[in-house]
Amino acid sequence: MADGMGGHAHGEIASAMTVSAFTELDARLPQDLGDLDLAAEMTAALVDATDRLSRRAGEDPDTRGMGTTVVSLLLTGDQLALAHIGDSRIYRLRDGGLAQLTHDHTMVQQLVDQGQITAEEAAHHPRRSVLMRALSTDHAPEPDLDRIDIVEGDRFLLCSDGVTAVLDDAALLSELAADADPAEIVQRLIDLANEGGGPDNITAIVADVVELPEAADRTQEVTVAGAAAEITTPN
């Protein structure tokens, strides 16, 4: 999931081109990932996306400075590989508890880390959306990378700050813990964020970890939404 940087030129193009690079990564990788270095593969996809943005900026000066956040999960056996840049987030619901798996790359989060302000103050800080890291035309990507063990019953949320600017962890936990399918929960999160003022783009993905029978067809149709589905993004 990629959220184009607000206030910058053509953030929707940056996010669409980034999603396109990851969609091609998914199509390129073999079904059995075996001993592949997934951190290297995801970093390569981010570098590919950066190169696409830079080429586009070279062709169209109006798009110079465009950028996007990125959160991505790649399934491999009983683990997920994670890549993260910016202030979009990944959460995991497990056994009734909610954990944030990403750390915001924002000026305000840096102030919290340094003990200069509290997390409560950060939630209402006027500069809470100022990014310290993003995927952009200006420099090589600097992602946080991780591997996460998964168990049946885990539920994951990938979302933009348009969700978390309105809904706190208690609200997210309440919605994610509901006995509903992922599509229903996504729509509920969008509705609640809009009811709370909808101050920014609102994007959410909810995915459940389920055990499939050995004979089950494990292929899935690729679903692309938002700007990535609406904008043609040449390499």
Side-chain angles (χ1 to χ4, degrees):
M1 192 217 73
D3 181 24
M5 289 162 56
H8 290 259
H10 302 296
E12 73 280 1
I13 296 176
S15 61
M17 295 184 80
T18 300
V19 169
S20 179
F22 272 88
T23 301
E24 292 175 24
L25 168 68
D26 188 55
R28 185 171 68 249
L29 291 176
Q31 189 166 8
D32 182 3
L33 298 180
D35 296 324
L36 278 178
D37 184 342
L38 296 183
E41 294 289 348
M42 297 181 87
T43 299
L46 291 167
V47 170
D48 179 19
T50 301
D51 289 344
R52 296 182 190 204
L53 267 58
S54 297
R55 288 197 299 271
R56 181 65 176 264
E59 297 164 359
D60 181 359
D62 286 344
T63 64
R64 288 176 186 166
M66 65 179 173
T68 184
T69 70
V70 183
V71 282
S72 179
L73 293 174
L74 181 63
L75 176 65
T76 168
D78 57 358
Q79 287 191 321
L80 288 169
L82 178 154
H84 160 60
I85 305 176
D87 63 352
S88 295
R89 294 179 181 177
I90 300 177
Y91 291 86
R92 180 188 62 206
L93 177 72
R94 174 182 289 176
D95 297 330
L98 186 68
Q100 183 179 329
L101 303 182
T102 53
H103 197 68
D104 292 350
H105 299 143
T106 60
M107 184 191 73
V108 167
Q109 183 61 56
Q110 192 173 78
L111 294 175
V112 173
D113 295 342
Q114 294 169 351
Q116 297 186 40
I117 63 174
T118 66
E120 291 73 20
E121 290 170 331
H124 305 286
H125 197 284
R127 304 193 70 188
R128 61 185 176 274
S129 295
V130 176
L131 294 177
M132 303 298 289
R133 273 195 256 171
L135 192 146
S136 73
T137 61
D138 301 327
H139 50 75
E142 302 175 68
D144 289 345
L145 301 164
D146 203 358
R147 291 284 284 265
I148 306 160
D149 291 327
I150 58 175
V151 297
E152 186 178 3
D154 282 351
R155 172 167 279 177
F156 290 89
L157 167 67
L158 292 74
C159 64
S160 66
D161 65 334
V163 175
T164 53
V166 178
L167 305 179
D168 61 15
D169 284 3
L172 293 177
L173 173 58
S174 175
E175 296 305 320
L176 290 170
D179 184 14
D181 67 38
E184 291 178 80
I185 293 173
V186 165
Q187 189 57 56
R188 177 68 176 159
L189 291 173
I190 292 171
D191 291 343
L192 287 172
N194 277 320
E195 289 169 13
D200 205 344
N201 293 332
I202 301 165
T203 305
I205 301 169
V206 174
D208 291 343
V209 177
V210 299
E211 187 68 39
L212 292 177
E214 285 296 325
D217 181 3
R218 294 169 186 267
T219 60
Q220 290 189 8
E221 221 177 283
V222 174
T223 301
V224 181
E230 299 168 5
I231 298 175
T232 302
T233 57
N235 293 354

